[in-house]
Amino acid sequence: MEKADTPLQDVEARIAKACKIAGRQRSDVTLVAISKTYDSDAIIPLIDEGHRTFGENRVQEAQGKWPALRERHGDIALHMVGQLQSNKAEDAAALFDCIHALDRPSLVKALGKAFDKVGRQVPCFIQVDIGEEEQKGGVAIKQLEALIAQARDADIPLLGLMCVPPLEVEPTPYFALLSKLAQDNGLAGLSMGMSSDFETAVKLGATHVRVGSALFGARD
Ligand SMILES: *Cc1c(COP(=O)(O)O)cnc(C)c1O
């Protein structure tokens, strides 16, 4: 009997297929495995399968798990995908290799300072409130241009834009809008697509997909 695919193999195959359909290279898409709420025992198998890019949404949780995991495996990239409080900017700058949720002027200021202090310029995505749902975070579309200018003034390396579209509606128009906003502002990166819609996101140009439950199982 053939061995069943692991969740990672399954997600990888689906990304590869979406890339093929879209005429894109697999290497143009980074799979960020979102390990929030899962402990090291659940994460180690993915690392052992060769996966190296992970994401968390809370600074404190990440600080508890990742130093030890990184000691086992040196070349791991850790992404911060959740809302970031300004008073955690320095901790985030020290721990993460990429920040996906830059969404307000006060955080631009805090991160600018933190990067100088820690001595690392961590690449960032600006999160856009693409569905006009304030509670999810993200800068309002009409304030996006100003925030990009502020981030550039503060020498924050900008990879691109990130969004979390409204739940349970067709995500395509939101992904397409994010892509247009990025293009209008000269940004190449698109962090979009989660477990339920990453293939659609890849077809619409995602450079980073953030996949949690499809890899680790449903969270409580
Ligand atoms: C939890 C989370 C994800 C992953 O969600 P899944 O539906 O489990 O794939 C992606 N992005 C952000 C910002 C998250 O908080």
Side-chain angles (χ1 to χ4, degrees):
M1 222 174 76
E2 261 185 75
K3 243 171 71 181
D5 282 354
T6 64
L8 178 62
Q9 286 170 332
D10 175 61
V11 169
E12 278 289 349
R14 289 164 61 190
I15 292 173
K17 191 171 169 200
C19 282
K20 196 167 172 201
I21 290 168
R24 305 183 62 203
Q25 300 292 317
R26 172 64 190 90
S27 56
D28 292 341
V29 181
T30 299
L31 170 60
V32 186
I34 307 298
S35 48
K36 65 185 183 198
T37 79
Y38 281 90
D39 63 16
S40 301
D41 290 346
I43 298 169
I44 287 168
L46 264 80
I47 297 174
D48 288 347
E49 272 189 77
H51 195 72
R52 294 291 177 263
T53 308
F54 293 85
E56 293 282 345
N57 72 336
R58 287 172 201 272
V59 173
Q60 214 173 351
E61 183 183 341
Q63 282 174 324
K65 291 193 294 204
W66 285 96
L69 286 167
R70 275 179 155 156
E71 239 164 72
R72 283 174 65 109
H73 306 272
D75 54 349
I76 282 166
L78 195 58
H79 292 224
M80 171 67 182
V81 301
Q83 289 186 33
L84 183 57
Q85 291 170 270
S86 294
N87 64 5
K88 299 268 174 68
E90 216 175 291
D91 288 339
L95 184 65
F96 292 102
D97 303 296
C98 182
I99 291 170
H100 288 240
L102 177 54
D103 64 354
R104 59 193 188 276
S106 59
L107 189 56
V108 166
K109 244 192 218 160
L111 283 175
K113 254 198 222 164
F115 292 171
D116 285 344
K117 182 141 183 218
V118 175
R120 318 172 65 214
Q121 302 292 121
V122 181
C124 293
F125 287 92
I126 288 183
Q127 182 178 354
V128 181
D129 180 12
I130 205 79
E132 300 187 14
E133 300 174 288
E134 247 177 70
Q135 75 282 6
K136 278 189 180 166
V139 62
I141 291 172
K142 61 179 185 308
Q143 281 152 20
L144 174 62
E145 241 178 78
L147 189 64
I148 291 171
Q150 283 161 351
R152 285 177 171 148
D153 277 349
D155 284 329
I156 291 181
L158 285 186
L159 286 180
L161 302 182
M162 176 273 213
C163 76
V164 182
L167 277 178
E168 288 167 18
V169 297
E170 165 59 39
T172 299
Y174 299 99
F175 292 157
L177 177 57
L178 194 74
S179 170
K180 181 183 185 301
L181 291 169
Q183 216 164 30
D184 289 350
N185 287 284
L187 293 167
L190 290 172
S191 169
M192 57 189 200
M194 315 194 341
S195 290
S196 60
D197 54 18
F198 65 85
E199 291 146 300
T200 303
V202 166
K203 288 172 196 163
L204 288 161
T207 59
H208 293 67
V209 291
R210 309 178 311 268
V211 179
S213 46
L215 292 168
F216 293 102
R219 291 176 300 272
D220 295 335

